[in-house]
Amino acid sequence: MSQWAQALGALGALVMGVFGGANWRFPFLERHRIFGLGCGFLTWVAAEFGVPRADRPPWYEPVGAAAMLLAGAAGLHRGHQWHRRGHDSGDDGPQHAAEGAANLRLYFKRDTTATLDAAVDAFRLAIRDTVGSGPHLRHHADLVKALRIRYERLRNRADLDDAVRVGRGARSLRGPKAHRALLLTELSTALRLRHEHTGASADLVQARACGRSALALLHDRHLYFPLCSSRLSAVLLSSYEHSGDPRDLDAALARMRRGIGSAAERGYTRKADEIRLCYLLTVRGRTAGDPHDLTEAVAQGRRTLERLAPADPLYPSCLHHLSVALRASHDLPAAGTDEPPARPRAAHRTYRIRSSDPPLEEAEAFARQALLRVADDVPEGARYHLNHALVLYGLHRAEPTADRLERALRAARAAARHSTAEVPTRVRAGLVLSDIAAGEGLHAEAVTAYEDVIGLLPRLASHELNRADQEQQIVRWPGIARAAATSALEAHQPARAAVLLEHGRGVLLARTLALRTDLGALCTAHPRLADELEDVRGQLTAPLPAPDTGGGHLTGRVPGSAARGPELLRQTRREQEERWEQLLERIHEQPGFEDFARPPTAARLRAQSTRGPMIYLNVTGRRSDAIAVTPDGIRSVPLDTTPEEVEAQARELHGCFAPGAVADVRAQDPAYRVLGWMWDTLVAPALDAALPRQAPGGPLPHVWWVPTGPLAALPLHAAGHHREGGPALIDRAVSSYTPTAHALMAARARPGPRAGQDSRLVVAVPAPPGAPPLRSAAREAEFVRGRAPGATTLLADTQAVRERVLEELPRHAWAHFACHAVPDPKTPSHSRLLLHDHARTPLTVGDISALDLRGSRLAYLSACETAVAGPRYRDEAIHLASAFQLAGFPHVISTLWQLPDRAAYVLAQEMYQALETHPAAGEGVAAAVHAVTRRARHEMFPRLPGVWAALVHVGP
């Protein structure tokens, strides 16, 4: 009996020593330290009564004393640490962490946001109570997770920013590799979600790096490997959605399969990963047209659904993704068939319907059940409604019924107007709603849906993003304004169509113009509001840090923020953007300021046509039209063409005007045919609607062209039957271009040059590094300087550098550039003029757009392709010509394609001579460009339309 008592006493001493001396490397022992110490001490004391003092071995009491000494010393050390940190007690960290984990489990069971708040608070306390110890890192990961989950439920952006801040701040903490991997993967997830919320590409890059770093810390059989692998798969999917690179989608699938396999090797399954695998297979099968992927997706969804209980929180998600997979597999066989569609397909339709059969009926049942199991305010509910709308409309198209159509419309409306859904989801839903309505002839509802979508577009490109990210966000769904105008025309509302083309195109341009609205009248009537608005404007127009600097070097400076990091700058921009909107609401409530900084209404469009009509040219797959805006009203005329035909004609024309062919007379034959087609198909019908017949010999009227989509690549001013001596626009009217009527209004409203200011800046780069020489550039610059009536600054060769040009531009009313230009079709804000230092510090569209050059007069861009935007950005009109106009030059002379060096010099000579006859005020610049073009056609380059038609005038 005494031997058992001795063993029991030794065990008690061992328990006291283990629990008393344990640290953060043993989370279980640290979490239950007090309980373990109590059990060990009681066991040792009880054993003492069972062992007579005479029978106790010599080691017995020293062992007990050593255990109590170790526990006491560890307690004193821990107490000293906590006293030094200013906390009352140090053993509450594990308890708070356990409370946080319990609250998260409770949230997933009951979906109560109060438990989420409690979890976040508990993890914050756990972090506070474990400073300097191992669990500190793990509790940071738990807090990032809780904040991320709360964001996913409530879509409160502050939670996401807080999660990123906490995760980044904890990366330097010490801790086990497993805890570090958890932190990195949670940080990666938070960064991915923020990218999906805002579109910031830097967040996606960092999310990818964090996800890979997390996996690098773990071996394939580690407990956390499946989780980290799944999270990296989600980041790779976001990369695919951002870039469109199918390799990212393949990598996402491979990573997900590896995570599922790792879990299977350990004998368990992660249902969320299996649902995600179903979705990934659906995405790849639908985009690649692979029926095998879709078959596997359906099978995977069914297997997972069978293993889930209806009360499981993942059950609605599984129902939804299985429904999507069934719908995609049902629609796929129609791809590639020769059967014509039942109705003309709209530009945004994302589904094809064959006939009603059991898979589609089953998809509808699953979609309906998923909706019944989610609360109305759950953000994911918008996607569930959207899928349900698509399935219902598919069934309706196969077997039309009024009930199915109304249910489909109702589901699409619910998705488009969901209160907590993200903006991209609402945009997609709004496009589906407009598509369904247009397909069923409900044009009024389609127009209303498009108006809602266009109202959301500015929110896609927040001011907190750098310019390149804003551009990427705004063209995610190209052609929205054109499709909206088409629906308005089908509803016999041409004025509404023109307004939609104004509001839905040039979104970034319009926002910048709004920021630069003249505050004179507001200062007089409401000086306090004007001061507040000016303050916010200063914050919003200052550049963000360059994306590749990490925040260490600022390309611009927000007032009062010299030492701020990039995160704080982004937060400041977001707050100021909200403040700007609030101030505009207050201003719009003031009498006489209802339209302040707003895009033009139909009445304001008509007011801008008093000097000459504005003609919008719009082409879509459903119909094509010219919309003429005159003081008498807004009317439309149909055009007999399609987007495919316009693209084909533009390709043929630009093939004739390509370098090496533009000066070849024999290569110009197809160009004459295209110019004649432009007259017959586009220009003549538009002029008939916009202009009355002019008396012979009278002054030519002035027309402003607003081409949309692929039409923006055509030289409309050169349309006509030139070789046959037939009708031509150049003989009928003076032509100018404007990206939008809003830009035209802003150019007309700008003040003229300051009194006596007629100085000119001339920039010439005859030998740019890494580019072909321009032998005539130096002579062109000397000629321009010689014709200048006032002071002239010439920057040539090594003097023509970015910093010097930016310094001189505000000092001159005229600017002339004789150099190369390089458009960037993928990131138009990076389009640039090739100055001497272009390889190191290029002068880009973004640089020029950020300038405030009010009081300037004319920018002559004797450089190649300065009025050209990439195919995706044509409706945004982001190019060098619009950048100079946005900066403050009301008049810009630019080019649509590359000109031979010698021809550019000759045209510049003629242009400045014409400008002396037609002063650069009012419509004189347009008249000068028109006169030079006519002379070049008749006398200088009569057989080279690629030369005489290259110059265009942008402005009033």
Side-chain angles (χ1 to χ4, degrees):
M1 186 66 181
S2 62
Q3 291 180 351
W4 280 105
Q6 290 177 30
L8 193 62
L11 177 61
L14 179 62
V15 169
M16 279 193 292
V18 168
F19 278 91
N23 62 12
W24 54 267
R25 289 183 175 84
F26 305 95
F28 176 82
L29 299 179
E30 186 174 10
R31 186 176 299 115
H32 302 286
R33 180 185 297 110
I34 301 301
F35 177 78
L37 281 172
C39 290
F41 182 74
L42 289 175
T43 302
W44 187 82
V45 171
E48 275 220 331
F49 292 101
V51 181
R53 184 174 296 274
D55 296 338
R56 295 174 186 172
W59 54 266
Y60 184 79
E61 290 188 357
V63 166
M68 287 185 281
L69 180 63
L70 175 62
L76 287 173
H77 175 68
R78 193 174 297 107
H80 172 68
Q81 286 183 321
W82 282 94
H83 177 72
R84 188 176 58 186
R85 290 193 295 266
H87 296 292
D88 295 331
S89 63
D91 291 324
D92 292 337
Q95 179 182 350
H96 290 313
E99 290 174 359
N103 277 302
L104 282 183
R105 290 192 296 270
L106 191 60
Y107 160 72
F108 286 114
K109 287 183 178 179
R110 300 182 181 177
D111 188 27
T112 55
T113 57
T115 57
L116 275 179
D117 297 339
V120 169
D121 294 340
F123 287 129
R124 290 192 193 279
L125 291 174
I127 289 173
R128 186 201 69 181
D129 290 347
T130 55
V131 175
S133 65
H136 196 55
L137 182 62
R138 172 60 188 267
H139 298 334
H140 276 85
D142 291 335
L143 177 57
V144 174
K145 174 182 177 180
L147 288 166
R148 183 258 304 171
I149 292 172
R150 190 164 70 176
Y151 162 78
E152 290 177 320
R153 177 63 179 83
L154 301 176
R155 288 299 192 265
N156 184 351
R157 171 64 189 283
D159 282 335
L160 207 51
D161 289 336
D162 200 12
V164 171
R165 180 189 60 78
V166 171
R168 284 176 171 167
R171 283 184 297 185
S172 60
L173 297 176
R174 297 175 56 192
K177 286 185 177 180
H179 291 182
R180 183 169 299 281
L182 276 180
L183 175 76
L184 287 172
T185 204
E186 289 295 347
L187 176 58
S188 172
T189 302
L191 286 165
R192 171 182 64 83
L193 289 172
R194 194 166 73 171
H195 158 75
E196 293 174 358
H197 184 106
T198 66
S201 57
D203 283 342
L204 185 59
V205 171
Q206 294 172 26
R208 198 164 179 164
C210 288
R212 293 189 185 281
S213 298
L215 275 180
L217 294 170
L218 306 172
H219 58 78
D220 288 1
R221 297 293 302 276
H222 195 280
L223 178 65
Y224 295 152
F225 185 87
L227 170 67
C228 296
S229 187
S230 170
R231 298 291 180 80
L232 180 57
S233 173
V235 173
L236 292 169
L237 176 61
S238 289
S239 296
Y240 163 72
E241 292 171 344
H242 180 70
S243 67
D245 188 344
R247 292 174 297 181
D248 286 331
L249 182 56
D250 293 339
L253 258 168
R255 179 51 56 196
M256 182 60 71
R257 292 187 192 277
R258 187 66 196 94
I260 291 175
S262 174
E265 291 172 5
R266 295 181 59 87
Y268 71 97
T269 58
R270 286 173 49 87
K271 302 296 191 304
D273 290 352
E274 293 183 338
I275 296 171
R276 194 75 176 175
L277 177 61
C278 171
Y279 176 66
L280 288 169
L281 288 165
T282 302
V283 172
R284 191 171 72 173
R286 186 167 50 197
T287 55
D290 187 349
H292 300 292
D293 277 340
L294 293 175
T295 300
E296 185 182 355
V298 172
Q300 178 64 59
R302 292 189 189 280
R303 285 195 302 270
T304 306
L305 189 65
E306 289 174 359
R307 294 199 295 269
L308 286 173
D312 194 299
L314 294 174
Y315 195 75
S317 178
C318 189
L319 286 169
H320 166 70
H321 286 99
L322 178 54
S323 173
V324 173
L326 284 166
R327 175 169 58 84
S329 62
H330 175 271
D331 296 346
L332 184 64
T337 65
D338 296 328
E339 297 180 6
R343 296 181 178 86
R345 286 169 51 197
H348 300 287
R349 183 157 293 146
T350 57
Y351 49 90
R352 296 176 292 272
I353 303 301
R354 291 182 297 144
S355 61
S356 179
D357 55 31
L360 204 56
E361 297 280 0
E362 190 178 19
E364 193 279 328
F366 287 147
R368 182 166 22 88
Q369 291 177 46
L371 280 168
L372 292 174
R373 287 173 164 81
V374 296
D376 292 339
D377 63 339
V378 172
E380 283 298 308
R383 298 186 182 186
Y384 294 7
H385 279 295
L386 178 56
N387 175 61
H388 196 209
L390 291 171
V391 175
L392 285 168
Y393 189 53
L395 290 169
H396 167 75
R397 285 171 63 83
E399 297 179 6
T401 67
D403 177 65
R404 281 175 175 168
L405 176 59
E406 179 52 37
R407 289 170 60 202
L409 290 169
R410 189 163 59 244
R413 287 190 209 105
R417 300 168 187 173
H418 200 280
S419 59
T420 61
E422 292 181 340
V423 172
T425 301
R426 292 182 60 192
V427 169
R428 284 193 294 268
L431 293 177
V432 168
L433 173 59
S434 59
D435 188 24
I436 293 173
E440 295 300 319
L442 305 174
H443 301 302
E445 172 144 10
V447 172
T448 300
Y450 275 123
E451 287 176 334
D452 291 342
V453 169
I454 288 173
L456 293 172
L457 291 181
R459 294 175 57 186
L460 286 171
S462 169
H463 278 96
E464 70 177 281
L465 301 178
N466 63 55
R467 178 70 183 195
D469 284 342
Q470 291 180 27
E471 293 166 0
Q472 291 292 328
Q473 284 292 99
I474 213 68
V475 296
R476 289 176 66 178
W477 295 277
I480 290 177
R482 286 179 276 132
T486 296
S487 288
L489 290 169
E490 289 178 338
H492 309 291
Q493 298 177 327
R496 203 171 181 185
V499 170
L500 287 168
L501 285 173
E502 275 300 307
H503 293 199
R505 296 172 58 259
V507 175
L508 297 179
L509 179 66
R511 189 167 68 182
T512 305
L513 290 172
L515 284 171
R516 297 182 179 180
T517 301
D518 182 66
L519 303 184
L522 186 64
C523 286
T524 302
H526 306 284
R528 183 172 296 180
L529 278 175
D531 290 343
E532 291 186 54
L533 202 66
E534 182 63 41
D535 177 61
V536 177
R537 180 159 67 178
Q539 300 263 5
L540 289 177
T541 55
L544 282 167
D548 57 346
T549 64
H553 170 69
L554 298 181
T555 59
R557 215 178 275 274
V558 174
S561 61
R564 295 181 181 181
E567 282 295 316
L568 191 54
L569 282 172
R570 286 180 60 174
Q571 180 182 347
T572 300
R573 280 289 186 91
R574 188 169 65 255
E575 292 171 352
Q576 295 303 324
E577 187 172 29
E578 294 173 358
R579 189 180 167 206
W580 172 268
E581 294 298 329
Q582 293 167 359
L583 285 171
L584 286 183
E585 289 180 7
R586 291 168 55 191
I587 293 170
H588 293 154
E589 294 171 356
Q590 310 305 317
F593 292 90
E594 294 81 5
D595 293 330
F596 181 85
R598 277 180 168 164
T601 60
R604 294 169 69 193
L605 289 178
R606 291 197 304 272
Q608 289 300 312
S609 65
T610 54
R611 303 182 190 178
M614 287 187 299
I615 302 177
Y616 296 86
L617 296 180
N618 191 54
V619 56
T620 68
R622 285 189 282 166
R623 61 182 287 166
S624 300
D625 300 86
I627 304 172
V629 181
T630 66
D632 299 332
I634 301 176
R635 61 183 66 88
S636 66
V637 59
L639 303 176
D640 186 18
T641 188
T642 64
E644 293 75 19
E645 184 181 24
V646 172
E647 293 279 9
Q649 298 288 347
R651 282 195 300 271
E652 186 170 8
L653 187 69
H654 286 275
C656 300
F657 297 164
V662 66
D664 185 352
V665 173
R666 292 172 298 178
Q668 302 306 302
D669 285 346
Y672 282 107
R673 188 195 60 75
V674 175
L675 295 177
W677 171 86
M678 288 166 50
W679 171 263
D680 295 334
T681 307
L682 304 174
V683 173
L687 286 183
D688 290 341
L691 287 175
R693 288 290 176 180
Q694 300 293 311
L700 295 179
H702 197 164
V703 176
W704 280 266
W705 297 96
V706 192
T708 69
L711 293 163
L714 296 175
L716 298 171
H717 65 285
H721 296 275
H722 302 280
R723 191 161 51 183
E724 304 87 348
L729 176 59
I730 199 172
D731 301 319
R732 180 91 181 269
V734 176
S735 292
S736 294
Y737 294 85
T738 183
T740 63
H742 196 177
L744 183 62
M745 293 167 57
R748 287 174 173 169
R750 288 192 179 103
R754 293 182 293 273
Q757 182 183 8
D758 201 24
S759 61
R760 303 185 182 185
L761 171 66
V762 183
V763 179
V765 190
L774 295 173
R775 295 180 178 86
S776 298
R779 287 187 295 166
E780 181 177 331
E782 288 297 336
F783 172 81
V784 174
R785 181 168 69 169
R787 305 291 295 202
T792 302
T793 299
L794 174 62
L795 301 178
D797 297 316
T798 57
Q799 292 181 319
V801 295
R802 175 181 180 273
E803 183 178 358
R804 186 72 190 283
V805 170
L806 292 177
E807 179 184 344
E808 292 291 341
L809 274 172
R811 301 172 182 171
H812 300 82
W814 295 51
H816 183 97
F817 288 85
C819 59
H820 282 300
V822 178
D824 190 327
K826 294 184 178 180
T827 310
S829 62
H830 293 170
S831 300
R832 58 202 180 276
L833 293 168
L834 294 194
L835 303 181
H836 187 75
D837 60 343
H838 70 90
R840 181 171 51 88
T841 54
L843 180 63
T844 66
V845 164
D847 295 327
I848 298 163
S849 300
L851 299 174
D852 185 357
L853 304 177
R854 283 173 288 187
S856 301
R857 180 178 292 181
L858 169 66
Y860 191 136
L861 307 181
S862 185
C864 303
E865 300 176 287
T866 50
V868 174
R872 296 180 66 205
Y873 296 91
R874 285 169 180 160
D875 281 333
E876 282 300 301
I878 305 172
H879 44 62
L880 285 161
S882 65
F884 273 93
Q885 192 176 58
L886 190 61
F889 288 94
H891 298 280
V892 181
I893 300 174
S894 57
T895 57
L896 289 173
W897 49 79
Q898 295 186 30
L899 269 176
D901 180 32
R902 171 67 182 172
Y905 170 45
V906 172
L907 288 173
Q909 286 181 305
E910 293 296 322
M911 190 65 66
Y912 280 94
Q913 291 174 4
L915 286 170
E916 294 174 2
T917 306
H918 305 275
E923 299 175 18
V925 177
V929 174
H930 179 261
V932 170
T933 303
R934 292 187 74 177
R935 185 163 184 268
R937 182 189 65 163
H938 289 298
E939 301 174 20
M940 295 184 290
F941 309 103
R943 302 173 65 189
L944 296 174
V947 175
W948 61 256
L951 293 181
V952 296
H953 170 252
V954 179

